[in-house]
Amino acid sequence: MNRLTDALAAKFASPVRSTRLSVVLGRWLAFTFMVCFATGLFSHGLQNPPGWMFFLTRPIWIYQLTQGVHITSGIASIPLLFAKLWSVYPELLSWPPVRSVVHALERGSIGLFVSASLLQVLTGLINTYKWYPWPFPFRQTHYWLAWVIMGSLLLHIAVKLPLIAANWRRARGPADTELTTPEPADAELATAASGPADAELATAVPEAGRQHRVRSGSAARGAASRGWSRRGFLAAVGVTTGAVVLGTAGQSFAWLSPVNFFAPRKMGTGPQSVPVNRTAADAKVGPLAQHPGWALKVSYRGKSRNLTLSELAALPQTEHELPIACVEGWSQTARWRGVQIRDLVQAMGAEPESDLLVTSLEPEGAYRLMTMPAVYTADQKTLVALALNGEVLDLDHGYPARIIAPGRPGVLQTKWLQSLEIL
Ligand SMILES: Nc1nc2c(c(=O)[nH]1)N[C@H]1C(S)=C(S)[C@@H](COP(=O)(O)O)O[C@H]1N2
Ligand SMILES: [Mo]
């Protein structure tokens, strides 16, 4: 077994790999993961608020920003994760698999971290294509996996702390000397080292766990003569990550939309120049929404009123530029016109600072019911919208009336309203 793993290690060896490379990639990955985690928690909190949750209505694009950053940092993590895996995987072949308690912990945490992370970023990516080919509830799974990843990552960092500390900064001074007068063990590696960038490599090598790499002289020399260096590799990873980010972030940030090559949703497409997530046909809501007898039921403490479309249209109308920002990453700002929801609430004799239970005509589905915390109800920019970009709301955008509120996830911008209950 030992021989087999050594042979494999030698086969895949490359002089580009080093502890320093793993540390640099780990640092980038830790950054994108932390950003993704924080923005993800915010999004989850908005949709499933714990008691202490805070809600922000300004800037109006707050969720567009946090969710855009969430999706973008998640996507950036994919090339970084693969590069990081590539930088360490000969390690995974080392034998024996478990050497001590710490080693077992280390391996366990890495195994958990790698599998949870791959599952997380790949299902997340598939999700941005509005594709949910799995039987489990996506958001809850995504949320708990995030905690598993953070826990195993912390453990991994704790175990590797000495190596991380030793390789945090680029090696200088003695490393250069080592390179010019190589120790016998480092000879092959030194042959591979061809430029100043490789000086760091020489210092990284004496670490015990990595000695198999030193044995892979011929592979190393081959790669080196093809001109690979750690710096070149990092630059390639950086460029790939940057390209993926630039090519997708245009679905969230208008100024990048001209270079939106990868993201599934393009700005300005769809009826009334706004993308549609779920059509009226998908929601089986067409006949109900187009029924001439439609009226919005508003209720408070056992009293209720039914407002027909013409009654709603006769109330004072307000127009605001507000974004729809989908959890799946795309967003689009548009001009919405309708009745301030606080006016409807006050007309019922309730405080504008009231929680609301909003019901959609949609007969079934996760978005039929929505709770609106008081901050949004009281906000002057929260509308029961009747018009979009100067036209009567398209059926697919929620005709006859929908919710639009500043700073809320798209999933909570309920379409095809049926009733508002003041809580
Ligand atoms: N009733 C209802 N409202 C809904 C949805 C839905 O499926 N049913 N989808 C939500 C989602 S996920 C988003 S992103 C926005 C999209 O609004 P749009 O289709 O008008 O762009 O509507 C939200 N409102
Ligand atoms: Mo959405």
Side-chain angles (χ1 to χ4, degrees), residues 275-278 330 360 362 367 397 402 410-411 413 415-416:
V276 168
N277 222 39
R278 191 141 181 250
W330 64 270
S360 168
E362 199 180 328
Y367 310 139
H397 285 306
R402 78 171 300 164
V411 280
Q413 312 279 29
K415 306 199 274 192
W416 313 295

Side-chain angles (χ1 to χ4, degrees), residues 298-302 341 344-357 377 420-423:
V298 187
S299 58
Y300 179 52
R301 296 197 177 150
I341 212 161
L344 294 174
V345 170
Q346 281 181 304
M348 292 300 291
E351 290 295 317
E353 289 81 16
S354 300
D355 292 352
L356 297 183
L357 179 65
T377 313
L420 309 177
E421 187 188 338
I422 303 165
L423 301 173

Side-chain angles (χ1 to χ4, degrees), residues 296 312 317 337-341 344 382-386 401-404 417 420:
L296 178 68
L312 280 171
Q317 307 287 304
R337 190 177 158 79
V339 183
Q340 283 185 6
I341 212 161
L344 294 174
T382 302
L383 306 178
V384 168
L386 308 177
R402 78 171 300 164
I403 296 288
I404 184 88
L417 292 182
L420 309 177

Side-chain angles (χ1 to χ4, degrees), residues 73-395:
S73 55
I75 286 172
S77 302
I78 297 174
L80 294 180
L81 189 59
F82 280 112
K84 172 90 167 134
L85 275 176
W86 180 84
S87 84
V88 295
Y89 81 96
E91 211 88 329
L92 306 177
L93 304 174
S94 73
W95 205 260
V98 171
R99 276 183 258 125
S100 65
V101 176
V102 174
H103 188 236
L105 263 182
E106 178 200 325
R107 297 216 115 187
S109 69
I110 290 177
L112 198 59
F113 175 74
V114 169
S115 42
S117 299
L118 285 174
L119 193 62
Q120 188 79 323
V121 294
L122 295 176
T123 52
L125 180 69
I126 289 172
N127 184 193
T128 68
Y129 286 81
K130 210 184 160 228
W131 187 31
Y132 296 80
W134 37 75
F136 49 83
F138 177 77
R139 187 158 55 84
Q140 277 68 16
T141 314
H142 203 62
Y143 175 73
W144 288 113
L145 267 180
W147 285 106
V148 170
I149 290 167
M150 284 300 138
S152 54
L153 180 58
L154 279 183
L155 196 57
H156 175 56
I157 292 174
V159 172
K160 295 283 189 187
L161 211 50
L163 276 185
I164 295 172
N167 289 276
W168 191 256
R169 294 187 173 279
R170 204 148 61 84
R172 281 179 209 289
D176 300 327
T177 350
E178 232 171 82
L179 203 86
T180 42
T181 50
E183 300 278 310
D186 290 332
E188 287 169 285
L189 218 104
T191 330
S194 51
D198 295 319
E200 303 148 33
L201 201 75
T203 37
V205 164
E207 184 227 321
R210 297 194 177 240
Q211 272 168 5
H212 54 260
R213 249 176 257 159
V214 181
R215 289 187 216 125
S216 56
S218 60
R221 266 193 298 276
S225 60
R226 281 195 304 273
W228 268 107
S229 69
R230 171 166 61 242
R231 214 163 280 168
F233 181 76
L234 283 173
V237 173
V239 166
T240 309
T241 307
V244 172
V245 162
L246 282 179
T248 44
Q251 67 173 341
S252 317
F253 305 108
W255 48 279
L256 279 175
S257 65
V259 289
N260 175 4
F261 301 123
F262 304 127
R265 244 61 68 91
K266 311 289 179 223
M267 285 202 179
T269 54
Q272 300 169 327
S273 313
V274 176
V276 168
N277 222 39
R278 191 141 181 250
T279 63
D282 287 342
K284 300 192 183 67
V285 81
L288 287 167
Q290 289 170 299
H291 195 279
W294 178 86
L296 178 68
K297 180 177 172 185
V298 187
S299 58
Y300 179 52
R301 296 197 177 150
K303 294 176 294 172
S304 70
R305 269 171 75 179
N306 288 309
L307 293 157
T308 64
L309 190 51
S310 47
E311 283 170 333
L312 280 171
L315 293 171
Q317 307 287 304
T318 313
E319 192 165 79
H320 289 297
E321 292 259 338
L322 290 168
I324 293 260
C326 183
V327 291
E328 290 155 9
W330 64 270
S331 60
Q332 174 82 57
T333 300
R335 239 171 346 111
W336 301 91
R337 190 177 158 79
V339 183
Q340 283 185 6
I341 212 161
R342 56 180 285 138
D343 288 354
L344 294 174
V345 170
Q346 281 181 304
M348 292 300 291
E351 290 295 317
E353 289 81 16
S354 300
D355 292 352
L356 297 183
L357 179 65
V358 177
T359 309
S360 168
L361 292 167
E362 199 180 328
E364 55 197 35
Y367 310 139
R368 208 178 86 78
L369 294 178
M370 180 271 279
T371 306
M372 179 178 285
V375 261
Y376 300 105
T377 313
D379 197 287
Q380 305 202 334
K381 291 198 173 188
T382 302
L383 306 178
V384 168
L386 308 177
L388 165 56
N389 286 339
E391 293 169 17
V392 168
L393 215 51
D394 188 275
L395 182 59

